[in-house]
């Protein structure tokens, strides 16, 4: 890479990061494999600064040729309105929960055949129909048509029929269910304009000719409302068909209703927020604008009261909605198990619901009766689990296999492994930490996992072969080779730093789909899958569509010789690259062997040859999340900081996942002291580690010949962070001023009683004294080091009240500090001007602090 080009890229990085949505615009994402696996949907915008995503199809034809077909473009469907997005407030809230920053088509729902897809743009409902790939011509032209659904209905009575939230198409493709928040709305999908009406009669030609066009029809099938004692409308604290706040923010559950696989039943959630505290989010920069009130389940207060209901739908011979023939509330011990954590519904089986108690120490897997053998809505407890600290949620569980076995997650404390069970029996090996379940079949479970080498020293043969090939490639390049594939200190390894996609057979077999360490996920259907992720070797999001094809088997002669072919096609990315490669070295520090990334100045930086540099600690550091991951994207901002004259260090301390349930639970009721102690441990272990790395490179063991890392100046250590990392940064200068000279704390949760129930109570329990001990507001009088607080006024996750309370306490104690409020900014900072200036202001603040 040209040195001047890299320097220019580093200088432009802050603004480029915001303009490109963290270099994700134009990258393919949200893939879903369909049917036999030969087709897959995905989302992608047209360029590196285009935020409006379109719906695409990746597909193989009968000859094995691969195509990418744009199915729906928001600009073609809405024109200029696609670039001036105006989505309902409830949808904006859902996107905030999901950390969704794009526009256009940001989600979709597809039927079981994979040929009908629904989605919203600007609150309008659309349907795309995909033609049969066998009918496509030799140029890959596939018949695709898209139209708005029920547009006249939405315009006729918007108070009843809108907003259109979370639309889901029925598995049979004939209906769409969505919620307005107060009503569940069912759309009967009509005929396409210009098509001959579909006729379901007895075949009489005259009757067929007289058939009327089947128009879209919308029906409110269920609703919630509240009236006062006089029967007048009152504040409606009820919602229907939506996920309550903590479900979206902490459980990664964004749905509030679920179709049955046969399209004849619906299970839906309703909840009442009347007992939750009322909070107000205001914009002080616009005093004429009233504050927005909302219910927020802060720790140690009330949650939303959640109910589940199952209904049976009736349809006439034309597949039009004809009413509800069955209706029952789902029965379970709601007083004990108040959280609905997960719902799944497998074809041929009744739905599964996972419920948790308030402390998240106990759960139950419930099977909800839908068939005629048991009363509708009654439940049967299939499994129960318990843990003295808390139980982890593993997305994709619980689930039935097609043949009816139950797959659940387990925190196996004896083996120190987050495992999977089938019918109560552990089948994933010790040392393989299961994070997400992606697909469940009768033969295996496809999952995202992190390996703990101390417990699982043996690796799959695919990884051994890949490692041997990488080492050979490096050796063939010679000492000056640029290929880093054989250097785990630069690319990571298959351990806590790598989120690998692995197939676990119920017989104990392990088959990885991923070869290089990275951050990966997948979608599988039939004989195909789509693999998506990043690694340290490339700055790009990589998406590949793979399909296994078997040729030569004759139905009447299974012994016929056959050939197995695996088709693999990369899906194009139009995303920008940052223009530089982060200079990262992985190591492990201290007594706890903390996974750590050290980011040194790039070769083009004026600080590249420095003998000693100030240390910038850049952690998240809190429970449930990692920062030391084998993916370049985690270190781009760190590289910018390194080229400003810092040795940047990110260390994952206890509680940051990936190393087993015992490691996770080290922070139970003691987040504050444990997470800070681990950052101090990393700082103190840094000089010896850097010296050892440099000695190894000087001895020529490292074939990459990377320049020496500057020595860390432990008299000049600072910290920055956002969210929990902001809490840790403020804590660092409050409680460890002998180690940390200054800090910038972004959106810090300073008082844990102001954060939500499901996250906070998982780690701190229900004792108010534990909250007092783990908060930092009371530590304000200790401040003797420079501290900058940064917070967005529009943040509805970690509200600005956190920083205001700390600032008020600092003022009362006479402790000088800097407060940087951000008008209109939520917990995500996507405004390009704010993003650029925020980094520059923090850099100047820290450099000034170190200059004193």
């Amino acid at each position: 890479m040209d040195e001047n080009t890299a320097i220019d890229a580093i200088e432009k990085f802050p603004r480029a990061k915001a303009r490109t949505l963290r270099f994700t615009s134009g990258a393919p994402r949200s893939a879903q494999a369909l049917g036999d696996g030969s087709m897959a949907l995905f989302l992608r915008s047209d360029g590196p600064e285009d935020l409006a995503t379109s719906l695409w199809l990746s597909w193989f034809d009968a000859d094995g040729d691969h195509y990418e077909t744009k199915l729906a473009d928001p600009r073609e469907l809405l024109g200029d309105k696609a670039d001036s997005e105006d989505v309902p407030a409830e949808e904006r809230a859902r996107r905030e929960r999901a950390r969704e920053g794009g526009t256009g088509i940001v989600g979709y729902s597809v039927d079981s055949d994979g040929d009908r897809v629904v989605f919203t743009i600007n609150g309008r409902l659309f349907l795309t129909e995909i033609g049969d790939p066998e009918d496509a011509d030799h140029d890959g032209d596939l018949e695709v048509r898209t139209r708005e659904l029920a547009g006249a209905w939405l315009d006729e009575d918007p108070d009843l029929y809108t907003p259109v939230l979370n639309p889901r198409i029925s598995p049979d493709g004939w209906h769409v269910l969505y919620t307005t928040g107060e009503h569940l709305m069912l759309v009967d999908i009509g005929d396409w304009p210009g098509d001959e009406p579909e006729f379901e009669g007895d075949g009489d030609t005259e009757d067929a000719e007289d058939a009327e066009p089947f128009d879209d029809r919308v029906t409110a099938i269920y609703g919630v409302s509240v009236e006062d004692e006089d029967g007048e409308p009152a504040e409606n604290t009820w919602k229907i068909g939506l996920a309550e706040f903590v479900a979206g923010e902490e459980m990664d559950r964004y749905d509030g209703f679920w179709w049955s696989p046969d399209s004849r039943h619906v299970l839906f959630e309703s909840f009442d927020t009347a007992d939750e505290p009322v909070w107000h989010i205001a914009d002080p920069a616009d005093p004429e604008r009233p504050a927005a009130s909302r219910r927020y389940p802060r720790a140690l207060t009330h949650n939303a009261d959640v109910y589940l209901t199952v209904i049976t739908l009736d349809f006439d011979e034309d597949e039009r909605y004809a009413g509800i023939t069955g209706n029952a509330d789902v029965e379970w011990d709601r007083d004990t198990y108040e959280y609905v954590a997960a719902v799944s519904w497998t074809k041929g089986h009744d739905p599964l619901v996972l419920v948790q108690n308030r402390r998240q120490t106990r759960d139950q897997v419930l099977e909800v009766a839908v068939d005629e053998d048991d009363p509708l809505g009654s439940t049967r407890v299939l499994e129960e689990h318990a843990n003295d600290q808390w139980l982890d949620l593993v997305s994709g569980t619980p689930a039935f296999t097609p043949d009816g076995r139950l797959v659940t997650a387990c925190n196996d404390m004896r083996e120190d492994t987050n495992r999977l069970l089938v019918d109560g029996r552990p089948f994933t090996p010790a040392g393989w930490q299961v994070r997400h379940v992606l697909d469940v079949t009768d033969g295996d479970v496809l999952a995202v996992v992190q390996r703990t080498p101390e417990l699982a020293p043996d690796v799959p043969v695919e990884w051994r072969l890949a490692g041997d090939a990488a080492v050979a490639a490096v050796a063939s390049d010679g000492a000056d080779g640029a290929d880093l594939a054989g250097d785990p200190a630069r690319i990571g390894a298959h351990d806590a730093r790598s989120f690998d996609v692995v197939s676990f057979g119920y017989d104990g077999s392990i088959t990885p789909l991923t070869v290089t360490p990275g951050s990966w996920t997948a979608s599988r259907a039939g004989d195909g899958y789509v693999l998506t992720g990043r690694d340290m070797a490339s700055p790009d999001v990589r998406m590949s569509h793979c399909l296994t094809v078997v040729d030569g088997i004759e139905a009447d002669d299974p012994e016929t010789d056959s050939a197995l072919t695996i088709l693999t096609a990369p899906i194009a990315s139009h995303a920008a690259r940052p223009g530089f490669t982060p200079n990262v070295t992985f190591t492990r520090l201290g007594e706890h062997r903390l996974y750590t990334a050290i980011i040194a100045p790039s070769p083009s930086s004026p600080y590249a040859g420095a003998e000693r540099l100030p240390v910038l600690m850049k952690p998240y550091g809190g429970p449930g999340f990692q920062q030391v991951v084998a993916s370049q994207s985690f270190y781009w901002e760190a590289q910018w900081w390194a080229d400003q004259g810092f040795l940047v260090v990110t260390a994952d301390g206890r509680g940051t996942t990936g190393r087993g349930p015992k490691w996770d639970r080290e922070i139970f009721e003691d987040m504050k002291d444990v997470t800070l102690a681990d950052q101090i441990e990393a700082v103190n272990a840094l000089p010896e580690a850097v010296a050892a790395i440099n000695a190894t490179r000087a001895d020529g063991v490292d074939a990459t010949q990377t320049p020496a890392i500057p020595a860390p100046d432990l008299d000049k250590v600072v910290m920055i962070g956002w969210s929990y990392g902001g809490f840790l940064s403020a804590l660092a200068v409050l409680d460890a001023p002998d180690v940390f000279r200054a800090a910038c704390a972004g959106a810090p949760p300073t008082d844990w009683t102001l954060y939500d129930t499901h996250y906070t109570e998982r780690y701190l329990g229900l004792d108010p004294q534990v909250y007092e001990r783990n908060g930092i507001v009371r530590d304000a009088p200790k401040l003797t080091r420079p501290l900058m607080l940064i917070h967005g006024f529009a943040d509805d996750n970690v509200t600005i009240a956190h920083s205001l309370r700390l600032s008020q306490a600092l003022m009362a104690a006479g402790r000088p500090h800097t407060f940087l409020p951000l008008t209109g900014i939520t917990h995500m900072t996507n405004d390009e001007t704010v993003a650029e200036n925020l980094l520059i202001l923090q850099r100047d603040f820290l450099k000034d602090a170190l200059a004193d």
Side-chain angles (χ1 to χ4, degrees):
M1 181 181 298
D2 179 76
E3 182 173 321
N4 292 328
T5 301
I7 293 174
D8 184 58
I10 287 287
E11 183 178 340
K12 294 178 178 178
F13 169 79
R15 185 173 290 265
K17 176 186 175 185
R19 290 178 65 90
T20 62
L21 204 61
R22 301 175 297 281
F23 300 97
T24 62
S25 294
R29 63 183 182 92
S30 304
Q32 182 176 341
L34 306 175
D36 64 359
S38 63
M39 298 193 303
L41 296 167
F42 66 95
L43 301 177
R44 184 178 61 199
S45 65
D46 289 344
E49 296 184 8
D50 182 13
L51 302 185
T53 54
S54 299
L55 179 67
W56 288 78
L57 182 73
S58 167
W59 58 286
F60 292 96
D61 66 12
D63 296 326
D65 294 324
H66 178 258
Y67 301 94
E68 295 176 16
T69 300
K70 183 184 285 190
L71 302 178
D73 187 328
R75 293 190 178 91
E76 293 179 2
L77 296 173
L78 291 185
D80 294 339
K81 293 182 180 179
D83 292 316
S84 55
E85 190 168 55
D86 181 20
V87 299
E90 296 89 347
E91 171 64 8
R92 288 198 302 273
R94 186 200 66 80
R95 295 185 187 185
E96 183 72 18
R97 304 284 71 77
R99 307 299 187 261
E100 171 63 65
T103 64
I105 305 171
V106 300
Y108 57 85
S109 171
V110 60
D111 68 358
S112 59
D113 288 338
D115 55 12
R116 281 187 162 186
V117 192
V118 297
F119 51 88
T120 60
I121 312 173
N122 279 11
R124 310 298 292 188
L125 180 62
F126 289 89
L127 168 70
T128 288
E129 191 169 72
I130 307 169
D132 190 336
E134 293 185 0
D135 296 333
D137 61 27
H138 294 294
D139 294 326
D141 290 332
L142 188 67
E143 182 182 359
V144 177
R145 53 184 183 177
T146 299
R147 68 178 177 89
E148 184 175 2
L149 280 179
W153 290 77
L154 304 186
D155 292 333
E156 177 183 338
D157 190 353
D159 290 339
L160 174 60
Y161 297 115
T162 62
V164 179
L165 305 173
N166 200 32
R168 294 289 181 262
I169 193 168
S170 60
D172 64 10
W174 287 102
H175 315 280
V176 176
L177 195 65
Y178 70 90
T179 178
T180 67
E182 295 187 356
H183 292 87
L184 282 178
M185 313 298 295
L186 186 72
V187 182
D188 296 320
I189 298 176
D191 296 323
W192 289 82
D195 281 3
E196 290 294 326
E198 297 194 18
F199 178 68
E200 302 290 339
D202 59 7
D204 185 277
T205 304
E206 291 185 6
D207 289 341
E209 291 176 351
D210 294 337
E212 294 293 329
F214 190 123
D215 294 326
D216 300 336
R217 186 177 71 175
V218 185
T219 307
I221 64 171
Y222 221 99
V224 291
S225 61
V226 176
E227 296 179 347
D228 60 21
E229 296 179 354
D230 298 325
E232 297 297 326
E235 178 193 6
N236 191 354
T237 58
W238 283 85
K239 295 294 181 183
I240 186 171
L242 295 174
E244 75 277 18
F245 176 88
V246 293
E249 184 64 41
E250 307 300 350
M251 305 180 202
D252 293 332
R253 177 174 69 79
Y254 307 108
D255 287 339
F257 62 84
W258 301 265
W259 280 103
S260 65
D262 66 2
S263 303
R264 289 304 183 259
H265 307 277
V266 173
L267 177 67
F268 65 85
E269 170 184 351
S270 55
F271 62 88
D272 183 12
T273 61
D275 291 334
E276 291 182 340
V278 179
W279 282 20
H280 303 275
I281 306 296
D283 181 5
D286 186 3
E288 294 185 354
R289 183 178 181 181
S293 63
R294 52 165 296 204
R295 305 276 177 168
Y296 183 82
R298 58 180 286 191
L300 306 180
T301 67
H302 292 284
N303 276 310
D305 200 4
V306 178
Y307 297 79
L308 292 175
T309 303
V310 61
I311 56 177
T312 302
L313 304 177
D314 186 33
F315 300 95
D316 63 22
E317 65 276 9
D318 293 322
E319 281 297 324
R320 289 200 174 197
Y321 172 69
I324 295 175
T325 59
N327 177 358
D329 289 335
V330 177
E331 301 171 1
W332 82 94
D333 184 357
R334 293 176 52 258
D335 291 335
T336 301
Y337 299 95
E338 63 181 82
Y339 288 124
V340 175
V343 176
S344 69
W345 208 331
T346 301
K347 184 178 181 180
H349 302 284
D350 283 343
L352 295 174
V353 177
L354 178 67
V355 294
Q356 287 185 321
N357 68 338
R358 177 68 178 257
R359 270 284 293 109
Q360 301 168 61
T361 55
R362 293 162 55 197
D363 70 23
Q364 291 185 333
V365 178
L366 308 176
E367 183 180 30
V368 181
V370 173
D371 61 30
E372 298 179 357
D373 295 335
D374 296 297
L376 187 69
S378 62
T379 58
R380 183 163 63 97
V381 178
L382 301 184
E383 278 188 15
E384 295 183 277
H385 311 106
N387 187 282
D388 290 340
Q389 285 83 37
W390 72 81
L391 290 163
D392 288 302
L393 297 178
V394 175
S395 62
T397 65
F400 276 129
T401 63
D403 63 11
R405 288 171 291 170
L406 178 64
V407 175
T408 56
C410 167
N411 297 130
D412 187 338
M413 302 304 292
R414 184 174 64 86
E415 297 290 348
D416 195 15
T417 303
N418 296 313
R419 310 177 75 172
L420 294 179
L421 313 176
V422 58
D423 286 341
R425 175 183 60 84
F427 74 94
T428 55
W432 292 79
Q433 313 296 341
V434 177
R435 298 301 303 275
H436 310 285
V437 168
L438 304 172
D439 187 35
V440 175
T441 71
D442 288 336
D444 76 334
V445 170
L446 192 68
V448 175
V449 297
Q450 294 167 283
R451 171 176 156 266
T452 302
E454 296 85 352
L455 300 175
D458 296 331
V459 300
V461 63
E462 292 89 347
W463 290 352
R464 290 200 303 270
L465 293 175
D468 292 343
V471 171
V474 171
S476 67
D477 279 342
D480 295 328
D483 189 347
L484 306 179
D487 182 7
R490 305 306 302 276
I491 68 154
H494 297 285
D495 49 33
R497 294 167 291 184
S498 184
F499 294 76
D500 288 294
V501 177
V502 173
S503 164
F504 290 107
Y506 303 119
D507 59 0
S509 60
I510 303 174
T511 307
L513 269 65
T514 50
V515 175
T516 60
S519 181
W520 304 101
T521 190
S523 175
R524 183 175 68 175
D527 294 321
Y529 64 89
V530 180
L531 189 67
T532 308
R534 295 182 185 267
D535 58 21
M536 292 297 294
S538 169
D540 298 325
V541 172
R542 301 189 195 186
M543 182 180 285
S544 297
H545 189 177
C546 304
L547 179 67
T548 301
V549 179
V550 180
D551 296 317
I553 294 181
E554 297 180 7
D556 57 352
D557 186 6
E559 301 300 324
T560 304
D561 291 337
S562 62
L564 185 70
T565 303
I566 299 179
L567 306 175
T568 301
I571 295 175
S573 174
H574 308 312
R577 295 179 169 184
F580 56 87
T581 300
N583 183 13
V584 180
T585 301
F586 291 117
T587 189
R588 300 186 70 172
L589 295 179
E591 173 190 355
H592 290 96
R593 303 286 292 152
L594 307 173
Y595 280 101
T596 303
I598 301 173
I599 302 91
S602 60
S604 58
S605 167
Y607 298 97
E611 293 186 6
R612 183 178 300 273
L613 285 177
V615 176
L616 174 69
M617 301 298 292
K618 192 177 182 296
Y620 175 78
F625 190 71
Q626 292 171 248
Q627 285 283 72
V628 183
V629 177
S631 169
Q632 277 196 26
S633 62
F634 277 72
Y635 311 107
W636 290 332
E637 184 176 301
Q639 190 62 58
W640 182 87
W641 279 101
D643 284 3
Q644 310 306 305
F646 293 94
L647 187 64
V648 183
V649 178
T650 296
D652 280 346
R654 285 168 285 176
T656 54
T657 71
R659 294 181 61 175
K662 291 181 181 178
W663 177 265
D664 297 343
R665 285 156 180 77
E666 289 282 341
I667 52 84
F668 182 65
E669 294 188 347
D670 199 15
M671 292 195 301
K672 176 181 176 181
D673 291 342
V674 171
T675 54
L676 178 59
D678 285 352
Q679 295 303 309
I680 295 173
E681 182 179 317
V683 169
N684 291 333
L686 191 58
E688 182 178 350
V690 169
I693 293 168
N694 288 336
T696 299
R697 290 173 176 171
D699 289 342
V701 175
D702 182 359
T704 64
Q705 293 294 297
T706 303
I709 300 173
D713 186 348
L714 297 198
D715 291 328
K716 295 182 177 181
V717 181
V718 296
M719 186 183 290
I720 64 169
W722 195 267
S723 197
Y724 194 97
F727 164 80
L728 199 48
S729 298
L731 174 62
V733 290
L734 290 168
D735 283 19
D738 56 325
V739 178
F740 300 96
R741 287 276 300 273
C744 295
T750 64
D751 179 349
W752 290 107
T753 67
L754 294 177
Y755 203 60
D756 73 58
T757 51
H758 196 269
Y759 176 95
T760 317
E761 293 170 3
R762 183 188 319 150
Y763 306 121
L764 297 183
L766 299 174
D767 184 350
Q769 292 184 358
V770 174
Y771 286 73
E772 179 71 15
R773 189 171 69 244
N774 280 274
I776 60 175
V777 173
R778 69 173 186 170
D779 294 340
K782 298 180 183 179
L783 184 65
T784 59
R785 297 294 194 183
L787 171 63
M788 173 185 281
L789 297 174
I790 308 163
H791 220 122
F793 277 113
D795 193 333
D796 69 349
N797 179 24
V798 183
T799 69
I800 198 170
H802 286 272
S803 287
L804 289 172
R805 288 193 179 186
L806 179 57
S807 179
Q808 183 181 27
L810 291 168
M811 183 67 70
R815 303 301 182 187
H817 61 285
T818 299
F819 195 163
L820 188 61
L822 306 176
T823 300
I825 298 299
T826 66
H827 206 59
M828 300 186 292
T829 309
N830 291 328
D831 181 277
E832 63 185 74
T833 302
V834 171
E836 178 179 33
N837 291 331
L838 192 55
L839 283 177
I840 293 171
L841 289 171
Q842 290 180 86
R843 178 199 64 190
D844 294 346
F845 176 83
L846 294 177
K847 289 207 166 190
D848 289 344
L850 292 176
D852 292 340

